[in-house]
């Protein structure tokens, strides 16, 4: 099958395209084999590729990618949730999704409704952490009046519109601004413009910040957050310098969610959440640039540098 | 009266001793006027003296000090809790305690039992934040098996023995080790010894860390803490460099408590907590070096550098 393989750790150029890569032969009881239509490209894929990923870098050779969408091709003997031909999106860490076929656990794959394209489906996968965030913040959310999502549009499937008073997003290039508004954000800011911090500081204090780039923004978040506000880290690329006294002054709470620590129940909850969202129309993933499979190296450069602007989820199209 | 006055921000030498400083003349309805026996010397006093304290540095000239112990000298017209001659310890931010007399709000002063000396009383004041920490961590404490207090002995009044399985402390010089054990710590480590991190990593994961020097230790804490463990910052002197991904990997929770944000109810709760502790004998403050009032500059050097080792609370003796 067609697949991208990392044969050694390194820069984007270690992502090699194989036209005839070996396919996995044995399917576990509860595994499904998916013909991938589109794979999601995530910053974490680049950290793994570079070989310095905590808690555990994969061992080369391996095929990158953890999320995507496609058609169920084969089902393991005890799979009851799906049948061949079902449209699915998935988020799993078993075999890489930068490939024509991919093996995932049946509980990490979810039905893709007919009103969403495979591209849109592939933009949901890795962002299924939202329900975990929501559950963590349940009490806060009931009282909170102002939220800040950094790069919600890059996350693309984050149904911002469903959150009370979701208000601001930054890290958005001009094109993305419109899409963010469409996704329900009530204020949209571009962090590349001078003075966006001043704009954020105006108005109500921000009760909850979902932070996708903590190494750059954590201290800014600590400056912006309301007293006893919550900062949830969902992404970080490097070290961050902070003033711990900022945490003390407001008794802020800094925490994080990690997909790697989700329980079976949480995965199910997340699936149900997005199922309702697809049915009711508020899961409206925003697609950024779509690369061909053999352009995985370019996609890896883009997902870090955002030269085209953060317009939505970056994907690989497998069929082309 | 005798008092220390900061006439301009700067190093320890700006702490000037006045033998005949003006006394406050008017006492508010709920204020008490205390003849101070001993004042506590805290790191935060030095931050304020240097003039870069967040959220608010006092304006010179002012008398430093926020805690201490002594005798009630006068009571405001509506004070019911105390009468002149009562032994008290206190923690307030109204007038400085590096002085012969000091004005505090009646709800920030507490009865000092006869079994504790004024020196011991002066070692409780600023560490009354413990009950807040405990209440914050209530749920965690029920499940937690291993705690780490950094510098519990410097805090001196922290009744470590009352916490389940309180286990390790670092930042302790040799002399302090014995005192820490006496205070109920089940393991005592010296962070100046090589390999103390390895010792801490052995055995059960640490569920709760009370961190008194976050700028130095926060990343170490993130490495040591158990999954979903809690780090509570109660002290920090400067910026800290951390890997936010460490927070993500374990879904740790980093938060803080601040005396400045305590409610009236919390102050009362804290007073009651230490009242029980004095009565039942588990409040056993450990005294470090005691300086004379006119040696406040030396005390400020010591509280930061710990040249004599962190043996317990550093005090000023006012009477001498």
């Amino acid at each position: 099958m067609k697949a991208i393989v990392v044969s050694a750790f390194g820069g984007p150029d270690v992502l090699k395209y194989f036209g005839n890569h070996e396919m996995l032969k044995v399917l576990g009881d509860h595994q499904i084999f998916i013909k991938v239509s589109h794979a999601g490209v995530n910053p974490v894929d680049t950290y793994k590729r570079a070989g310095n990923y905590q808690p555990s870098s994969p061992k080369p050779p391996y095929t990158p990618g953890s999320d995507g969408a496609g058609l169920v091709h084969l089902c393991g003997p005890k799979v009851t949730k799906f049948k061949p031909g079902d449209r699915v999106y998935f988020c799993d860490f078993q075999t890489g999704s930068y490939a024509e076929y991919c093996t995932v656990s049946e509980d990490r794959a979810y039905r893709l409704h007919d009103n969403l394209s495979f591209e849109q489906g592939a933009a949901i996968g890795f962002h299924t952490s939202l329900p975990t965030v929501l559950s963590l913040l349940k009490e806060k959310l009931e009282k909170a009046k102002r939220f800040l999502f950094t790069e919600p549009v890059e996350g693309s499937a984050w149904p911002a519109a469903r959150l009370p008073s979701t208000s601001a997003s930054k890290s958005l290039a001009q094109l993305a601004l419109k899409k963010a508004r469409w996704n329900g954000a009530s204020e949209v800011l571009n962090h590349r413009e001078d003075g966006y911090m001043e704009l954020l500081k105006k108005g109500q204090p921000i009760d909850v910040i979902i932070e996708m780039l903590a190494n750059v923004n954590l201290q800014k978040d600590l400056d912006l957050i309301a007293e006893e506000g919550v900062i949830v880290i969902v992404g970080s690329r490097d070290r961050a310098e902070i003033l711990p006294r900022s945490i003390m002054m407001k008794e802020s709470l800094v925490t994080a969610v990690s997909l790697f620590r989700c329980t079976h129940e949480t995965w199910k909850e997340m699936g149900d959440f997005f199922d309702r969202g697809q049915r009711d129309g508020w899961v409206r993933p925003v697609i950024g640039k779509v690369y061909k499979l053999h352009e995985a190296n370019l996609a890896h450069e883009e997902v870090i540098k955002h030269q085209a602007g953060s317009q939505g989820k970056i994907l690989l199209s497998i069929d082309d």
Side-chain angles (χ1 to χ4, degrees), chain A:
Chain A
M1 68 168 174
K2 297 184 284 183
I4 293 292
V5 175
V6 174
S7 47
F9 292 134
D13 56 316
V14 302
L15 297 169
K16 303 290 185 198
Y17 174 79
F18 285 78
N20 194 16
H21 189 60
E22 195 183 2
M23 279 171 72
L24 199 81
K25 290 187 188 70
V26 182
L27 209 55
D29 279 355
H30 291 282
Q31 288 183 321
I32 58 175
F33 199 57
I34 294 168
K35 183 158 185 5
V36 183
S37 167
H38 288 80
V41 177
N42 298 289
V44 69
D45 302 343
T46 72
Y47 314 150
K48 289 181 179 172
R49 185 207 70 221
N52 55 11
Y53 183 67
Q54 292 297 333
S56 59
S57 289
K59 280 183 191 158
Y62 76 95
T63 292
S66 300
D67 59 353
L71 288 173
V72 174
H73 189 71
L74 291 170
C75 290
K78 294 190 178 168
V79 169
T80 55
K81 194 173 158 191
F82 299 107
K83 59 178 193 310
D86 282 353
R87 301 175 86 238
V88 292
Y89 74 92
F90 60 91
C91 180
D92 201 359
F93 313 106
Q94 304 205 348
T95 68
S97 60
Y98 293 13
E100 204 176 351
Y101 293 90
C102 167
T103 302
V104 310
S105 171
E106 69 171 324
D107 67 341
R108 303 294 178 88
Y110 309 94
R111 184 162 78 99
L112 181 64
H113 290 231
D114 289 337
N115 55 341
L116 262 64
S117 67
F118 284 121
E119 287 190 338
Q120 287 176 304
I124 303 179
F126 216 78
H127 294 280
T128 47
S129 57
L130 183 59
T132 324
V133 176
L134 295 184
S135 114
L136 180 80
L137 298 176
K138 206 176 168 188
E139 206 181 315
K140 272 277 160 195
L141 281 174
E142 279 161 20
K143 294 184 209 159
K145 287 180 183 147
R146 199 176 181 212
F147 290 81
L148 170 63
F149 285 73
T150 69
E151 308 195 58
V153 170
E154 185 178 90
S156 69
W158 292 51
R162 298 294 287 182
L163 295 171
S165 314
T166 296
S167 64
S169 87
K170 50 190 176 73
S171 231
L172 301 175
Q174 207 53 36
L175 183 62
L177 298 185
K178 284 179 200 161
K179 295 189 183 177
R181 290 207 179 88
W182 182 69
N183 251 19
S186 62
E187 291 168 48
V188 174
L189 301 170
N190 182 349
H191 83 142
R192 291 173 188 177
E193 275 171 25
D194 290 344
Y196 80 93
M197 280 287 287
E198 280 60 43
L199 282 171
L200 281 169
K201 279 180 184 165
K202 280 184 191 166
Q204 288 180 301
I206 300 172
D207 307 291
V208 178
I209 297 180
I210 313 292
E211 180 54 63
M212 299 187 67
L213 197 60
N215 54 312
V216 173
N217 295 327
L218 189 53
Q219 183 58 48
K220 287 179 191 169
D221 295 340
L222 290 170
D223 293 339
L224 285 170
I225 198 77
E227 301 212 340
E228 294 177 42
V230 178
I231 298 166
V232 184
I233 300 174
V234 294
S236 181
R237 296 185 186 168
D238 206 342
R239 304 182 80 81
E241 202 183 76
I242 62 163
L243 271 172
R245 216 178 294 158
S246 316
I247 303 177
M248 296 168 69
M249 286 306 120
K250 297 176 185 170
E251 297 186 354
S252 330
L253 202 148
V254 181
T255 187
V257 289
S258 163
L259 278 186
F260 305 99
R261 303 193 66 258
C262 283
T263 60
H264 179 80
E265 287 66 37
T266 310
W267 281 104
K268 185 172 177 329
E269 238 172 74
M270 298 195 294
D272 293 346
F273 180 83
F274 280 94
D275 197 63
R276 289 196 299 278
Q278 290 180 79
R279 186 195 64 200
D280 298 344
W282 48 263
V283 166
R284 300 186 283 194
V286 179
I287 311 302
K289 205 157 176 200
V290 182
Y291 292 85
K292 294 179 179 172
L293 183 58
H294 64 84
E295 296 172 324
N297 57 335
L298 301 178
H300 270 214
E301 281 177 17
E302 180 60 20
V303 80
I304 294 300
K305 292 188 183 165
H306 291 305
Q307 283 161 331
S310 285
Q311 303 173 12
K313 178 95 165 193
I314 292 168
L315 301 178
L316 295 178
S317 165
I318 313 295
D319 299 333
D320 301 338

